[in-house]
Protein backbone atom coordinates (compact mmCIF):
# COMPACT_ATOMS: atom_id res chain seq x y z
CA UNK A 1 0.00 0.00 0.00
CA UNK A 2 1.17 3.51 -0.81
CA UNK A 3 -0.27 6.87 0.16
CA UNK A 4 -1.22 8.44 -3.17
CA UNK A 5 -3.17 11.47 -4.21
CA UNK A 6 -5.51 11.21 -7.18
CA UNK A 7 -3.04 12.34 -9.85
CA UNK A 8 -0.44 9.89 -8.51
CA UNK A 9 -2.99 7.09 -8.64
CA UNK A 10 -3.71 7.93 -12.29
CA UNK A 11 0.01 7.74 -13.01
CA UNK A 12 0.28 4.40 -11.19
CA UNK A 13 -2.64 2.91 -13.12
CA UNK A 14 -1.21 4.05 -16.46
CA UNK A 15 2.22 2.65 -15.61
CA UNK A 16 0.80 -0.69 -14.43
CA UNK A 17 -1.28 -1.19 -17.56
CA UNK A 18 1.51 -0.12 -19.93
CA UNK A 19 3.78 -2.70 -18.33
CA UNK A 20 1.07 -5.35 -18.59
CA UNK A 21 -0.16 -4.65 -22.13
CA UNK A 22 2.34 -3.71 -24.84
CA UNK A 23 -0.51 -2.57 -27.11
CA UNK A 24 -1.43 0.24 -24.71
CA UNK A 25 0.01 3.65 -25.53
CA UNK A 26 -0.53 7.25 -24.50
CA UNK A 27 -0.91 10.36 -26.62
CA UNK A 28 -1.63 13.99 -25.87
CA UNK A 29 -0.26 17.49 -25.60
CA UNK A 30 2.86 17.81 -23.39
CA UNK A 31 2.38 14.35 -21.85
CA UNK A 32 5.85 13.05 -22.70
CA UNK A 33 8.89 15.15 -21.87
CA UNK A 34 6.79 17.48 -19.70
CA UNK A 35 4.83 14.71 -17.96
CA UNK A 36 1.50 16.43 -18.56
CA UNK A 37 0.28 19.80 -17.33
CA UNK A 38 -0.76 18.16 -14.02
CA UNK A 39 2.09 15.58 -14.13
CA UNK A 40 -0.31 12.67 -14.53
CA UNK A 41 2.09 11.05 -17.04
CA UNK A 42 5.29 12.09 -15.26
CA UNK A 43 8.16 9.66 -15.91
CA UNK A 44 6.23 7.42 -18.29
CA UNK A 45 8.02 8.47 -21.48
CA UNK A 46 11.40 7.87 -19.86
CA UNK A 47 10.25 4.42 -18.77
CA UNK A 48 8.34 3.25 -21.85
CA UNK A 49 9.83 5.32 -24.67
CA UNK A 50 8.67 7.95 -27.13
CA UNK A 51 6.92 5.34 -29.28
CA UNK A 52 4.42 4.63 -26.51
CA UNK A 53 4.12 8.03 -24.80
CA UNK A 54 3.58 10.37 -27.71
CA UNK A 55 3.66 14.17 -27.55
CA UNK A 56 1.15 15.49 -30.07
CA UNK A 57 0.52 18.85 -31.73
CA UNK A 58 -2.11 21.15 -30.19
CA UNK A 59 -4.96 19.56 -32.12
CA UNK A 60 -7.60 17.86 -30.00
CA UNK A 61 -9.62 16.67 -32.98
CA UNK A 62 -6.47 15.11 -34.40
CA UNK A 63 -5.62 13.43 -31.08
CA UNK A 64 -9.08 11.86 -30.92
CA UNK A 65 -9.07 10.85 -34.59
CA UNK A 66 -5.66 9.18 -34.36
CA UNK A 67 -6.81 7.36 -31.21
CA UNK A 68 -9.92 6.06 -33.00
CA UNK A 69 -7.82 4.71 -35.86
CA UNK A 70 -5.33 3.09 -33.49
CA UNK A 71 -8.12 1.46 -31.49
CA UNK A 72 -9.91 0.14 -34.56
CA UNK A 73 -6.66 -1.52 -35.66
CA UNK A 74 -6.05 -3.34 -32.37
CA UNK A 75 -4.06 -0.92 -30.24
CA UNK A 76 -5.31 0.48 -26.92
CA UNK A 77 -4.73 4.24 -26.98
CA UNK A 78 -5.25 6.44 -23.94
CA UNK A 79 -5.62 9.99 -25.23
CA UNK A 80 -5.32 12.98 -22.90
CA UNK A 81 -7.16 16.23 -23.53
CA UNK A 82 -5.37 18.85 -21.49
CA UNK A 83 -8.55 20.46 -20.10
CA UNK A 84 -12.20 19.59 -20.68
CA UNK A 85 -12.80 23.04 -22.10
CA UNK A 86 -10.74 21.84 -25.06
CA UNK A 87 -12.63 18.56 -25.43
CA UNK A 88 -15.28 19.91 -27.79
CA UNK A 89 -13.19 19.53 -30.98
CA UNK A 90 -13.04 15.79 -30.21
CA UNK A 91 -16.80 15.39 -30.30
CA UNK A 92 -16.93 14.71 -34.04
CA UNK A 93 -14.46 11.82 -33.73
CA UNK A 94 -15.82 10.45 -30.45
CA UNK A 95 -19.51 10.62 -31.30
CA UNK A 96 -19.46 9.96 -35.05
CA UNK A 97 -16.74 7.30 -35.05
CA UNK A 98 -15.59 5.92 -31.67
CA UNK A 99 -19.07 5.43 -30.23
CA UNK A 100 -20.43 3.90 -33.45
CA UNK A 101 -17.56 1.62 -34.40
CA UNK A 102 -19.03 -1.60 -33.01
CA UNK A 103 -22.50 -0.87 -34.43
CA UNK A 104 -21.22 0.38 -37.80
CA UNK A 105 -19.17 -2.75 -38.41
CA UNK A 106 -21.75 -5.11 -36.89
CA UNK A 107 -19.23 -6.14 -34.25
CA UNK A 108 -16.33 -6.74 -36.63
CA UNK A 109 -14.41 -3.84 -35.06
CA UNK A 110 -14.48 -2.27 -31.64
CA UNK A 111 -12.85 0.89 -30.35
CA UNK A 112 -10.97 0.16 -27.09
CA UNK A 113 -9.79 3.69 -26.34
CA UNK A 114 -9.89 5.96 -23.31
CA UNK A 115 -10.27 9.72 -23.56
CA UNK A 116 -8.89 11.24 -20.33
CA UNK A 117 -9.28 14.84 -19.28
CA UNK A 118 -8.97 17.02 -16.17
CA UNK A 119 -12.48 18.15 -15.34
CA UNK A 120 -14.36 20.74 -13.32
CA UNK A 121 -13.78 24.03 -11.56
CA UNK A 122 -12.08 25.05 -8.36
CA UNK A 123 -8.42 25.59 -9.30
CA UNK A 124 -8.68 29.26 -10.34
CA UNK A 125 -8.16 28.47 -14.00
CA UNK A 126 -9.10 30.78 -16.87
CA UNK A 127 -12.01 30.33 -19.26
CA UNK A 128 -12.39 26.89 -20.91
CA UNK A 129 -10.35 25.13 -18.20
CA UNK A 130 -13.14 24.42 -15.71
CA UNK A 131 -16.01 22.87 -17.65
CA UNK A 132 -18.20 19.90 -16.61
CA UNK A 133 -19.53 18.44 -19.88
CA UNK A 134 -20.37 14.91 -18.74
CA UNK A 135 -24.00 15.17 -19.91
CA UNK A 136 -22.89 15.78 -23.51
CA UNK A 137 -21.08 12.45 -23.65
CA UNK A 138 -23.63 10.60 -21.49
CA UNK A 139 -26.28 11.36 -24.10
CA UNK A 140 -24.39 9.45 -26.80
CA UNK A 141 -25.07 5.70 -27.25
CA UNK A 142 -21.92 3.58 -27.37
CA UNK A 143 -19.88 5.57 -24.84
CA UNK A 144 -19.05 4.95 -21.22
CA UNK A 145 -18.55 8.04 -19.05
CA UNK A 146 -16.62 7.56 -15.80
CA UNK A 147 -15.75 10.11 -13.09
CA UNK A 148 -13.68 9.01 -10.05
CA UNK A 149 -14.01 10.65 -6.64
CA UNK A 150 -10.90 9.45 -4.79
CA UNK A 151 -7.39 8.11 -5.46
CA UNK A 152 -8.41 4.48 -4.93
CA UNK A 153 -11.44 4.84 -7.20
CA UNK A 154 -9.35 6.59 -9.85
CA UNK A 155 -6.80 3.76 -9.87
CA UNK A 156 -9.34 0.93 -10.08
CA UNK A 157 -11.74 2.62 -12.49
CA UNK A 158 -9.00 3.73 -14.87
CA UNK A 159 -7.67 0.19 -15.03
CA UNK A 160 -11.17 -1.04 -15.87
CA UNK A 161 -11.57 1.69 -18.50
CA UNK A 162 -8.28 0.76 -20.18
CA UNK A 163 -9.34 -2.90 -20.31
CA UNK A 164 -12.81 -2.17 -21.71
CA UNK A 165 -13.40 -3.20 -25.33
CA UNK A 166 -15.32 -0.01 -26.11
CA UNK A 167 -14.61 3.74 -25.78
CA UNK A 168 -14.57 5.33 -22.33
CA UNK A 169 -14.58 9.05 -21.55
CA UNK A 170 -12.70 9.33 -18.24
CA UNK A 171 -13.09 12.71 -16.52
CA UNK A 172 -10.73 13.44 -13.62
CA UNK A 173 -11.84 16.08 -11.08
CA UNK A 174 -9.01 18.59 -11.19
CA UNK A 175 -9.85 19.92 -7.74
CA UNK A 176 -9.23 16.49 -6.25
CA UNK A 177 -5.88 15.86 -7.95
CA UNK A 178 -3.87 16.84 -4.86
CA UNK A 179 -6.60 17.51 -2.30
CA UNK A 180 -5.92 14.41 -0.17
CA UNK A 181 -4.01 11.14 -0.13
CA UNK A 182 -5.34 7.66 0.39
CA UNK A 183 -3.93 4.17 0.67
CA UNK A 184 -3.84 2.64 -2.81
CA UNK A 185 -2.59 -0.84 -3.55
CA UNK A 186 -0.78 -0.81 -6.92
CA UNK A 187 -1.80 -4.41 -7.54
CA UNK A 188 -3.59 -4.17 -10.88
CA UNK A 189 -7.00 -4.83 -9.36
CA UNK A 190 -9.70 -2.96 -11.24
CA UNK A 191 -13.01 -1.71 -9.89
CA UNK A 192 -16.31 -2.48 -11.63
CA UNK A 193 -17.66 -0.04 -14.17
CA UNK A 194 -21.41 0.65 -14.48
CA UNK A 195 -21.78 0.45 -10.69
CA UNK A 196 -22.56 3.04 -8.02
CA UNK A 197 -20.57 2.93 -4.78
CA UNK A 198 -22.20 3.27 -1.37
CA UNK A 199 -20.06 5.76 0.57
CA UNK A 200 -22.22 6.00 3.67
CA UNK A 201 -25.34 4.23 4.88
CA UNK A 202 -28.25 6.27 6.24
CA UNK A 203 -31.96 6.20 6.86
CA UNK A 204 -33.38 9.73 6.40
CA UNK A 205 -32.40 10.81 2.87
CA UNK A 206 -30.25 9.75 -0.08
CA UNK A 207 -27.54 12.09 -1.34
CA UNK A 208 -26.42 11.22 -4.89
CA UNK A 209 -23.24 12.80 -6.28
CA UNK A 210 -20.03 12.09 -8.22
CA UNK A 211 -16.53 13.41 -8.72
CA UNK A 212 -15.49 16.40 -6.63
CA UNK A 213 -18.99 16.61 -5.14
CA UNK A 214 -18.43 13.42 -3.13
CA UNK A 215 -16.12 15.06 -0.53
CA UNK A 216 -18.68 17.88 -0.26
CA UNK A 217 -21.48 15.34 0.16
CA UNK A 218 -19.57 13.54 2.91
CA UNK A 219 -18.92 16.84 4.71
CA UNK A 220 -22.63 17.61 4.48
CA UNK A 221 -23.52 14.18 5.87
CA UNK A 222 -21.24 14.74 8.85
CA UNK A 223 -22.66 18.22 9.48
CA UNK A 224 -26.25 16.97 9.27
CA UNK A 225 -25.53 13.99 11.51
CA UNK A 226 -24.83 16.48 14.30
CA UNK A 227 -28.36 17.81 13.68
CA UNK A 228 -29.92 14.34 13.89
CA UNK A 229 -30.27 13.75 10.12
CA UNK A 230 -28.84 10.47 8.85
CA UNK A 231 -27.80 10.67 5.18
CA UNK A 232 -27.01 7.85 2.79
CA UNK A 233 -24.34 8.94 0.27
CA UNK A 234 -24.01 7.31 -3.16
CA UNK A 235 -21.10 7.88 -5.56
CA UNK A 236 -22.44 7.36 -9.09
CA UNK A 237 -18.89 6.92 -10.53
CA UNK A 238 -20.06 5.61 -13.92
CA UNK A 239 -22.33 8.28 -15.35
CA UNK A 240 -23.18 6.15 -18.37
CA UNK A 241 -24.39 3.41 -18.25
CA UNK A 242 -26.12 4.55 -15.06
CA UNK A 243 -26.59 2.08 -12.20
CA UNK A 244 -30.17 3.11 -11.51
CA UNK A 245 -30.97 0.06 -9.36
CA UNK A 246 -28.60 1.04 -6.57
CA UNK A 247 -30.07 4.55 -6.44
CA UNK A 248 -33.64 3.23 -6.46
CA UNK A 249 -32.96 0.80 -3.61
CA UNK A 250 -31.60 3.64 -1.52
CA UNK A 251 -34.51 5.96 -2.30
CA UNK A 252 -37.02 3.22 -1.53
CA UNK A 253 -35.38 2.94 1.89
CA UNK A 254 -35.03 6.64 2.74
CA UNK A 255 -37.97 8.18 0.85
CA UNK A 256 -36.00 11.32 0.01
CA UNK A 257 -33.30 12.22 -2.50
CA UNK A 258 -30.97 15.16 -3.16
CA UNK A 259 -28.80 15.06 -6.28
CA UNK A 260 -25.63 17.15 -6.35
CA UNK A 261 -23.52 17.93 -9.41
CA UNK A 262 -21.07 20.58 -10.54
CA UNK A 263 -22.39 20.82 -14.09
CA UNK A 264 -25.08 23.37 -15.01
CA UNK A 265 -28.62 22.47 -13.98
CA UNK A 266 -30.52 22.32 -17.28
CA UNK A 267 -30.37 18.89 -18.95
CA UNK A 268 -27.71 17.74 -16.49
CA UNK A 269 -27.29 14.10 -15.44
CA UNK A 270 -29.17 14.96 -12.24
CA UNK A 271 -32.32 15.49 -14.28
CA UNK A 272 -31.98 11.97 -15.72
CA UNK A 273 -31.60 10.48 -12.25
CA UNK A 274 -34.60 12.46 -10.98
CA UNK A 275 -36.68 11.22 -13.92
CA UNK A 276 -35.74 7.59 -13.22
CA UNK A 277 -36.77 8.02 -9.58
CA UNK A 278 -40.07 9.64 -10.61
CA UNK A 279 -40.85 6.83 -13.05
CA UNK A 280 -39.79 3.90 -10.91
CA UNK A 281 -39.91 4.90 -7.23
CA UNK A 282 -42.53 7.64 -7.05
CA UNK A 283 -44.61 5.92 -4.39
CA UNK A 284 -41.56 5.51 -2.17
CA UNK A 285 -41.01 9.27 -2.04
CA UNK A 286 -42.24 11.33 0.90
CA UNK A 287 -40.90 14.56 -0.64
CA UNK A 288 -39.97 15.77 -4.13
CA UNK A 289 -36.46 15.08 -5.46
CA UNK A 290 -34.17 18.11 -5.13
CA UNK A 291 -31.15 19.08 -7.24
CA UNK A 292 -28.20 21.14 -6.05
CA UNK A 293 -26.16 22.14 -9.09
CA UNK A 294 -24.04 24.82 -10.66
CA UNK A 295 -25.85 27.59 -12.47
CA UNK A 296 -26.76 27.88 -16.15
CA UNK A 297 -23.91 30.27 -16.87
CA UNK A 298 -20.35 30.01 -18.13
CA UNK A 299 -17.96 29.01 -15.34
CA UNK A 300 -16.91 32.33 -13.76
CA UNK A 301 -13.37 33.42 -13.09
CA UNK A 302 -11.75 32.51 -9.79
CA UNK A 303 -13.27 35.19 -7.56
CA UNK A 304 -16.75 33.71 -8.04
CA UNK A 305 -15.88 30.01 -8.26
CA UNK A 306 -16.97 29.27 -4.70
CA UNK A 307 -20.38 30.77 -5.41
CA UNK A 308 -20.70 28.74 -8.60
CA UNK A 309 -19.72 25.29 -7.27
CA UNK A 310 -22.27 23.58 -4.99
CA UNK A 311 -20.77 23.63 -1.52
CA UNK A 312 -21.50 22.55 2.03
CA UNK A 313 -24.01 25.29 2.82
CA UNK A 314 -26.17 24.76 -0.28
CA UNK A 315 -26.22 20.99 0.18
CA UNK A 316 -27.11 21.20 3.88
CA UNK A 317 -29.86 23.74 3.16
CA UNK A 318 -31.35 21.50 0.47
CA UNK A 319 -31.42 18.45 2.73
CA UNK A 320 -32.87 20.38 5.65
CA UNK A 321 -35.53 21.84 3.38
CA UNK A 322 -36.37 18.36 2.15
CA UNK A 323 -36.71 17.10 5.74
CA UNK A 324 -38.87 20.08 6.70
CA UNK A 325 -41.03 19.92 3.58
CA UNK A 326 -39.93 23.28 2.19
Amino acid sequence: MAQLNLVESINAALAHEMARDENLLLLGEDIGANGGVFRATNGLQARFGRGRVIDTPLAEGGIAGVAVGMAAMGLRPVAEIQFTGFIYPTIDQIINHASRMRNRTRGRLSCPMVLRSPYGAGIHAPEHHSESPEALFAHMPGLRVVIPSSPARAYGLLLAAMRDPDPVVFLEPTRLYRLFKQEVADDGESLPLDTCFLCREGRDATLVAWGAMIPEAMRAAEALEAQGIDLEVIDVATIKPLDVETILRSVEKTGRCVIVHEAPRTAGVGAEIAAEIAERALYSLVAPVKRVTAYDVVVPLSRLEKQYIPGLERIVDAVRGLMEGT
Side-chain angles (χ1 to χ4, degrees), residues 172-207:
E172 301 160 9
T174 318
R175 192 158 72 260
L176 300 187
Y177 266 159
R178 292 175 172 84
L179 185 65
F180 63 93
K181 292 196 172 189
Q182 187 179 51
E183 281 196 349
V184 179
D186 188 7
D187 56 6
E189 290 294 320
S190 64
L191 288 172
L193 300 175
D194 312 345
T195 301
C196 292
F197 296 94
L198 181 62
C199 300
R200 186 183 193 276
E201 292 193 24
R203 64 176 184 277
D204 293 326
T206 300
L207 196 55

Side-chain angles (χ1 to χ4, degrees), residues 37-289:
V37 69
F38 291 102
R39 304 298 183 263
T41 53
N42 190 40
L44 297 182
Q45 190 178 75
R47 179 175 172 185
F48 295 102
R50 296 177 65 181
R52 293 186 65 196
V53 182
I54 303 168
D55 280 315
T56 69
L58 303 182
E60 287 79 13
I63 293 168
V66 168
V68 170
M70 288 176 168
M73 293 295 100
L75 297 174
R76 287 187 171 268
V78 180
E80 178 182 301
I81 303 301
Q82 204 166 78
F83 290 93
T84 45
F86 306 147
I87 210 167
Y88 306 115
T90 74
I91 285 178
D92 177 33
Q93 296 293 339
I94 299 303
I95 290 175
N96 286 326
H97 301 293
S99 70
R100 298 169 187 262
M101 189 69 68
R102 183 178 292 279
N103 179 267
R104 179 178 291 151
T105 65
R106 300 300 184 261
R108 185 174 63 85
L109 299 177
S110 61
C111 193
M113 64 171 285
V114 177
L115 191 74
R116 294 181 44 247
S117 186
Y119 150 91
I123 61 164
H124 307 312
E127 186 183 9
H128 291 311
H129 288 60
S130 306
E131 316 262 315
S132 298
E134 65 264 35
L136 292 177
F137 292 102
H139 188 66
M140 294 300 116
L143 294 181
R144 276 186 167 80
V145 182
V146 180
I147 304 175
S149 63
S150 70
R153 296 246 166 93
Y155 179 85
L157 291 171
L158 182 55
L159 284 176
M162 290 187 287
R163 296 168 186 174
D164 196 87
D166 293 297
V168 179
V169 176
F170 196 89
L171 303 176
E172 301 160 9
T174 318
R175 192 158 72 260
L176 300 187
Y177 266 159
R178 292 175 172 84
L179 185 65
F180 63 93
K181 292 196 172 189
Q182 187 179 51
E183 281 196 349
V184 179
D186 188 7
D187 56 6
E189 290 294 320
S190 64
L191 288 172
L193 300 175
D194 312 345
T195 301
C196 292
F197 296 94
L198 181 62
C199 300
R200 186 183 193 276
E201 292 193 24
R203 64 176 184 277
D204 293 326
T206 300
L207 196 55
V208 178
W210 52 90
M213 292 295 95
I214 289 296
E216 296 292 340
M218 294 300 289
R219 287 176 61 211
E222 292 169 9
L224 288 161
E225 186 176 33
Q227 303 173 30
I229 298 173
D230 189 19
L231 280 185
E232 185 148 295
V233 179
I234 291 176
D235 177 5
V236 174
T238 301
I239 302 298
K240 169 80 175 293
L242 182 64
D243 176 15
V244 179
E245 300 303 328
T246 295
I247 297 170
L248 293 179
R249 282 195 298 270
S250 178
V251 172
E252 287 164 358
K253 178 175 71 172
T254 65
R256 301 176 179 88
C257 184
V258 175
I259 304 161
V260 184
H261 63 68
E262 189 178 318
R265 180 182 180 88
T266 299
V269 175
E272 176 66 22
I273 295 171
E276 289 282 358
I277 294 169
E279 288 181 9
R280 301 175 59 184
L282 180 63
Y283 294 114
S284 297
L285 292 173
V286 297
V289 175

Side-chain angles (χ1 to χ4, degrees), residues 131-132 135 261-271 291-300 307-310 314:
E131 316 262 315
S132 298
H261 63 68
E262 189 178 318
R265 180 182 180 88
T266 299
V269 175
R291 287 177 288 162
V292 181
T293 72
Y295 303 102
D296 288 338
V297 298
V298 174
V299 183
Q307 284 69 43
Y308 177 82
I309 301 168
R314 287 179 61 196

